[in-house]
Amino acid sequence: MSDPLFVRIADLPAHAGETVTIRGWVTHVRSSGKVAFAVIRDGTGVCQTVFVKNQLPPDVWERFAALTTEASVSIVGAVRAEPRSPGGVELGVADLVIVGPSPADYPIQPKEHGIDFLLDNRHLWLRSPRQRAIAIIRNEIEQAIHDFFYERGFLRVDTPILTAAIGERSGLFATEYFDEGNAYLAQTGQLYGEAAAAAFGKIYTFGPTFRAEKSKTRRHLTEFWMIEPEVAWNDSEANMLLQEELVSYLVQRVLERRRAELSELERDVTKLESVKAPFDRLNYTDAIALVQARGSTTQWGEDLGAEDEALIVRDATRPVFVFNYPKTAKAFYMKENPDDPRTVLCDDLLAPEGFGEMIGGSQREDDYDKLVARIKEEGLPMDAYGWYLDLRRYGTFPHAGFGLGLERTVAWICGLQHIREVIAFPRMMNRLRP
RNA sequence: UCCCCAGUAGCUCAGUUGGUCAGAGCAUCCGACUGUUAAUCGGAGGGUCGUAGGUUCAAGUCCUACCUGGGGAGCCA
């Protein structure tokens, strides 16, 4: 004898009047004596199930009495419209099977918890409605990124995670690598992206990156996902156009398709609705003047600090570009600004509402001699950059690209206070498990 | 690495100038209830107050060190 048709909770409204089977986990049990309710979650939605004692066989009622939070169950019942139930339908229960019981000490309750406790129980915390909404929006953004680039003829290139020391100089995770000495977890795919741009024209990478920085803030992870487009023949201006087009696309896509999840997160969508290209552009010199006028003591030539960035986006509802920073504040591979050699052709895109740098981008130095000089100035090991310099020896070309931090972008769009909620299993300097 | 804050029941926290200070809510367990929405009501169990020293007649409370965590700086996405 087989169960009635197995239906996912999201599909229940189409089965009103039928008897079906649902399978999921108990999020909540309420009893009022001889009528009782269990709310079931299956990942697609939640459904209230109703148990009426004098309409059920005694053994089913007894099994109901043993139900606990997060037990997994298979329930047979009649689907009926019920405005008082979340989802608009409820299930009048005929049979209940406890697939996997759950002891009474399930740690996560429908109440406030501290972040440390929640992260210790991240594997269970993921079951909460809020975490589901975040995961769905993250997925929507990831899919939208692929759609955006695919529609525009970009080729996705997967770059190595294990690398020799190359790239930027912030903290590296090292591991032994056969007879090759140390390998390092990639902090960027950009240099490989440049090689791919010379081969394929317009490319992007999408993958994890690793920073062994001892950063304990709401905006940092040691492992995060980054999207790095690299476009042959783009200059810095075209680079910024691409950035604002992408960011606008992502925001509008989420607004279009994930209103329910934004609502679950209580996100103020009016702030997102204004996120459309073009974004404001502030060159570095003007940015210094602005932050000084707002009380900063930062001088021309210094990098903008976190406080400065906050001052810049103080009244903004859209992301803001700051472009052409001093050479001394930026990486060796950025192209010297021909109109002001003290600066380089680069930009940071600052998210509004205090979410920090969402994008860092630049036109790349394509002059062989200047690039060699910069590598020497920075004291970097020349021999590690042989292949990178080859890109300038054999048919050098103007090109530009950027890195979009996925978690910062998702956190901003979701309006979350902390980046760690945005990734299923966050890695931070003192958190390697679960 | 530096600065600030916190650590009391399974969870979230209260605990006044050192002296009934071992407390509450939630959760759990037992009981009541035929439409609950974080149900409600009654009852019960549950703590080496982060660790180690010190001051004191007396320390959850004051001092020192350490540990753990949080937030921030730097660095970055």
Side-chain angles (χ1 to χ4, degrees):
Chain A
M1 146 166 189
S2 62
D3 286 341
L5 182 67
F6 170 42
V7 176
R8 302 281 174 180
I9 287 171
D11 300 327
L12 283 178
H15 294 271
E18 299 173 30
T19 293
V20 302
T21 303
I22 66 170
R23 298 185 179 120
W25 291 259
V26 175
T27 68
H28 213 87
V29 179
R30 286 184 291 270
S31 170
S32 177
K34 297 185 177 63
V35 171
F37 307 87
V39 179
I40 308 301
R41 176 196 81 249
D42 77 347
T44 72
V46 295
C47 179
Q48 173 166 281
T49 59
V50 185
F51 294 76
V52 181
K53 185 177 185 180
N54 65 16
Q55 295 172 10
L56 283 171
D59 60 313
V60 174
W61 183 257
E62 277 170 32
R63 287 199 291 275
F64 168 80
L67 266 193
T68 53
T69 300
E70 292 303 323
S72 53
V73 294
S74 180
I75 296 178
V76 174
V79 182
R80 59 187 182 229
E82 173 51 69
R84 287 173 292 185
S85 174
V89 295
E90 66 177 17
L91 206 66
V93 175
D95 195 12
L96 160 70
V97 174
I98 298 178
V99 177
S102 175
D105 58 0
Y106 184 73
I108 298 185
Q109 303 164 25
K111 64 179 294 251
E112 292 277 320
H113 288 292
I115 191 66
D116 187 39
F117 175 81
L118 287 170
L119 285 176
D120 284 343
N121 291 284
R122 181 59 170 169
H123 52 298
L124 302 173
W125 186 21
L126 287 174
R127 301 181 181 192
S128 73
R130 176 185 173 82
Q131 297 308 315
R132 174 172 176 266
I134 294 167
I136 287 173
I137 292 173
R138 178 187 173 112
N139 178 251
E140 187 68 47
I141 290 169
E142 292 186 348
Q143 187 62 49
I145 286 165
H146 292 306
D147 292 347
F148 177 89
F149 287 117
Y150 189 87
E151 288 164 7
R152 284 159 183 76
F154 283 64
L155 196 67
R156 176 178 173 181
V157 176
D158 298 322
T159 54
I161 289 168
L162 290 169
T163 67
I166 190 168
E168 296 166 24
R169 287 194 298 169
S170 51
L172 289 163
F173 288 106
T175 183
E176 285 182 27
Y177 196 81
F178 305 110
D179 297 328
E180 296 292 315
N182 276 342
Y184 301 91
L185 297 181
Q187 347 177 263
T188 173
Q190 178 202 315
L191 305 190
Y192 298 100
E194 290 184 50
F200 310 126
K202 298 192 286 188
I203 67 96
Y204 74 106
T205 72
F206 191 129
T209 59
F210 306 87
R211 305 275 167 93
E213 290 293 334
K214 293 186 176 179
S215 300
K216 290 168 63 175
T217 83
R218 291 178 296 165
R219 301 184 304 283
H220 289 86
L221 296 167
T222 52
E223 175 182 293
F224 64 96
W225 289 67
M226 190 155 66
I227 292 83
E228 298 183 283
E230 194 70 38
V231 183
W233 315 108
N234 260 11
D235 61 11
S236 191
E237 177 59 27
N239 197 33
M240 283 190 275
L241 287 170
L242 182 64
Q243 289 166 49
E244 64 190 1
E245 188 185 2
L246 171 63
V247 171
S248 304
Y249 181 96
L250 299 180
V251 170
Q252 295 307 317
R253 170 79 167 256
V254 172
L255 284 170
E256 203 174 288
R257 303 195 186 179
R258 297 300 169 192
R259 288 273 174 172
E261 285 74 20
L262 289 170
S263 173
E264 168 74 36
L265 299 172
E266 298 176 316
R267 178 60 160 125
D268 179 358
V269 292
T270 61
K271 288 179 176 166
L272 294 178
E273 279 162 349
S274 70
V275 179
K276 291 177 183 165
F279 301 156
D280 287 342
R281 288 160 164 70
L282 208 54
N283 76 44
Y284 169 84
T285 301
D286 292 341
I288 288 290
L290 175 69
V291 298
Q292 286 179 347
R294 291 179 174 179
S296 174
T297 56
T298 303
Q299 300 297 309
W300 201 102
E302 297 173 349
D303 200 2
L304 297 172
E307 281 181 34
D308 296 323
E309 294 180 355
L311 290 172
I312 288 167
V313 297
R314 189 180 68 188
D315 306 320
T317 58
R318 280 179 286 185
V320 176
F321 284 113
V322 178
F323 64 96
N324 294 3
Y325 284 68
K327 194 180 290 183
T328 51
K330 288 294 177 184
F332 73 95
Y333 51 73
M334 296 185 181
K335 184 173 177 61
E336 184 179 285
N337 179 1
D339 297 329
D340 181 357
R342 297 177 305 165
T343 65
V344 287
L345 298 172
C346 68
D347 69 270
D348 284 352
L349 185 63
L350 307 179
E353 303 172 64
F355 289 91
E357 287 173 37
M358 195 166 29
I359 285 178
S362 68
Q363 188 169 339
R364 318 307 189 185
E365 183 56 76
D366 48 48
D367 183 282
Y368 181 90
D369 294 330
K370 283 183 173 165
L371 187 57
V372 167
R374 288 290 290 135
I375 290 173
K376 284 181 182 162
E377 275 172 39
E378 297 285 327
L380 298 171
M382 191 64 67
D383 53 345
Y385 293 92
W387 68 262
Y388 186 63
L389 289 165
D390 271 359
L391 306 178
R392 280 74 181 168
R393 291 182 66 210
Y394 302 107
T396 194
F397 61 119
H399 59 291
F402 60 91
L404 172 80
L406 179 66
E407 284 78 13
R408 286 186 182 177
T409 303
V410 176
W412 163 55
I413 291 175
C414 289
L416 302 178
Q417 281 309 299
H418 207 300
I419 198 170
R420 65 193 147 195
E421 274 192 273
V422 151
I423 185 165
F425 296 98
R427 290 291 172 258
M428 296 174 293
M429 62 178 280
N430 48 20
R431 199 167 282 283
L432 192 54
R433 55 181 67 88

